[in-house]
Amino acid sequence: MSKTIPIRAGYPQPPPQLDAEGRAAWNRGLALWLDGTLQQRDLDAWQAYCAAFDEKKHCETIANRDG
């Protein structure tokens, strides 16, 4: 008897509101998507996680600028 493998939709493109750091984080999620760790139900939290990279970069830029 053969095993049925569910078909998953492709990994979505990064949300347009993410900047470079957030998009880079989003793209690193592809491996998690392919192995089934990251799933459709996780995408809202994943987006927030990726947005935190943008925020971190913004804060680092201000700290480096202002000392």
Side-chain angles (χ1 to χ4, degrees), residues 19-35:
D19 291 330
E21 297 292 324
R23 283 192 308 273
W26 184 273
N27 291 334
R28 288 191 297 271
L30 177 59
L32 298 172
W33 185 264
L34 293 175
D35 76 8

Side-chain angles (χ1 to χ4, degrees), residues 5-67:
I5 299 173
I7 296 174
R8 297 186 57 198
Y11 188 57
Q13 293 295 315
Q17 64 269 28
L18 292 177
D19 291 330
E21 297 292 324
R23 283 192 308 273
W26 184 273
N27 291 334
R28 288 191 297 271
L30 177 59
L32 298 172
W33 185 264
L34 293 175
D35 76 8
T37 304
L38 181 63
Q39 298 185 19
Q40 186 72 35
R41 67 175 180 252
D42 305 317
L43 290 179
D44 287 340
W46 184 250
Q47 181 177 339
Y49 171 81
C50 294
F53 281 86
D54 285 335
E55 184 66 22
K56 178 181 178 281
K57 179 66 175 178
H58 175 72
C59 292
E60 288 172 344
T61 300
I62 292 171
N64 289 334
R65 182 191 69 204
D66 296 347

